[in-house]
Amino acid sequence: MNERTTGIVMKQIEYRENDALLTVLTKEYGKLSLVVKGIKKMTSKNAVSCMPYCISEFVLDYQDDKSMFTIKNGSLIESNRKIQEDLVKMGVAQVLTELIDKSIPQGYLDEETNENFYELLALSLKRLNDENENGLLLSLFIAQVLSYLGIPPIVDECVLCGNTKVNYISVEEGGFICSECKNEVGSSSGKQMDLKRFRLANKAQLEHYDVLKQYGPWTIEDCETLIEFLKVHSGIELETWQFLKKIVEG
């Protein structure tokens, strides 16, 4: 049965001689593996619609009992082409898509979860394409995914005693801690940093992006603790994060 669905191309890898395998995020079906045939041929009509980070409408042979589907036709909706033209933007996009890919399993989850992850990625890629506040965007994105996974950092009070006078972030303990608790637990990851910006990133939504600009400049370094938090509390390690850091650090 041919079905139409709109999806975000998160990844494209070689598959057989002239084909490619796509990882695509959709609202209707969640994360899908799609085969696009003949994409390497000069005559391919689907090459443009299957580029990473673009949003396209796909016609596919969807069946509930299958895990991989063949694209019959693809129509480009949004190219996000500026991402492909900027190495740093591309590095950020790789982090965004790898994080989504590793955060959710293949296939349909539930309507709210599918929509939440889809909208977050679609809006983030659009912001990334149109603007240059990469550190802010990535901070908000990682924090939102942590929230969706049910492991957001505690940023309203000391995670151990409830004291609202906090001085550090402890990745191991799960959020802000006060000086007394840091001394008691001997947390090796207690960090003094811009607690206000860290709290804002974890309390805000992507829709507050323009408001949060005034608390910058935001940099990729602002994401470091969030990346560490993700690794410790979810077990997710992002290979693309190291690549992005190398690009930024020159």
Side-chain angles (χ1 to χ4, degrees):
M1 178 185 292
N2 290 339
E3 298 285 347
R4 291 182 180 272
T5 186
T6 299
I8 305 168
V9 181
M10 297 197 294
K11 184 167 60 178
Q12 181 190 116
I13 60 175
E14 292 185 0
Y15 183 70
R16 298 173 181 164
E17 186 176 355
N18 291 306
D19 305 340
L21 181 64
L22 308 183
T23 302
V24 177
L25 184 65
T26 73
K27 284 185 183 180
E28 295 88 351
Y29 307 111
K31 187 175 71 174
L32 300 177
S33 292
L34 304 182
V35 177
V36 52
K37 294 185 176 181
I39 193 173
K40 297 178 185 176
K41 296 180 180 179
M42 295 293 291
T43 56
S44 174
K45 297 180 180 179
N46 292 322
V48 175
S49 62
C50 295
M51 292 290 289
Y53 322 125
C54 74
I55 300 176
S56 299
E57 181 183 69
F58 297 108
V59 178
L60 51 96
D61 61 336
Y62 184 82
Q63 297 178 39
D64 289 333
D65 60 345
K66 293 176 62 178
S67 60
M68 187 179 296
F69 312 96
T70 300
I71 294 174
K72 301 298 182 68
N73 184 55
S75 302
L76 182 67
I77 296 174
E78 180 59 60
S79 67
N80 289 320
R81 63 177 179 82
K82 292 181 181 178
I83 295 176
Q84 300 283 358
E85 298 169 354
D86 185 299
L87 190 58
V88 174
K89 286 180 181 288
M90 191 181 302
V92 174
Q94 289 176 344
V95 173
L96 302 183
T97 52
E98 185 187 5
L99 178 50
I100 293 289
D101 193 19
K102 290 185 173 180
S103 295
I104 58 176
Q106 191 85 356
Y108 181 82
L109 298 176
D110 59 74
E111 185 175 350
E112 182 179 2
T113 302
N114 285 347
E115 185 169 351
N116 283 342
F117 278 103
Y118 181 91
E119 292 295 344
L120 176 63
L121 184 57
L123 291 173
S124 296
L125 289 173
K126 179 173 175 53
R127 285 285 191 181
L128 179 62
N129 184 74
D130 295 343
E131 303 192 35
N132 293 302
E133 296 285 345
N134 298 326
L136 171 57
L137 174 65
L138 194 50
S139 294
L140 287 171
F141 187 89
I142 298 169
Q144 192 62 66
V145 171
L146 288 171
S147 179
Y148 289 160
L149 294 176
I151 50 172
I154 302 300
V155 293
D156 288 321
E157 59 190 16
C158 176
V159 69
L160 296 175
C161 72
N163 187 353
T164 56
K165 187 176 181 180
V166 293
N167 309 89
Y168 300 90
I169 298 169
S170 172
V171 172
E172 288 95 339
E173 302 301 337
F176 285 173
I177 58 173
C178 64
S179 296
E180 290 185 7
C181 287
K182 181 181 182 299
N183 292 333
E184 288 179 9
V185 300
S187 175
S188 60
S189 65
K191 299 179 179 180
Q192 261 190 318
M193 55 178 292
D194 193 328
L195 300 188
K196 183 175 183 178
R197 282 220 302 269
F198 188 83
R199 183 176 187 276
L200 285 171
N202 283 281
K203 298 292 285 187
Q205 304 283 332
L206 194 59
E207 64 194 60
H208 304 121
Y209 178 95
D210 290 323
V211 176
L212 266 61
K213 283 182 182 180
Q214 63 184 297
Y215 297 99
W218 296 74
T219 68
I220 297 300
E221 292 179 356
D222 287 304
C223 310
E224 194 80 52
T225 303
L226 286 166
I227 290 290
E228 190 178 350
F229 195 95
L230 177 73
K231 178 180 176 179
V232 169
H233 293 280
S234 73
I236 295 174
E237 294 190 59
L238 302 177
E239 296 175 9
T240 51
W241 170 248
Q242 299 304 323
F243 174 68
L244 175 60
K245 284 181 64 178
K246 288 180 180 179
I247 296 173
V248 173
E249 293 168 0

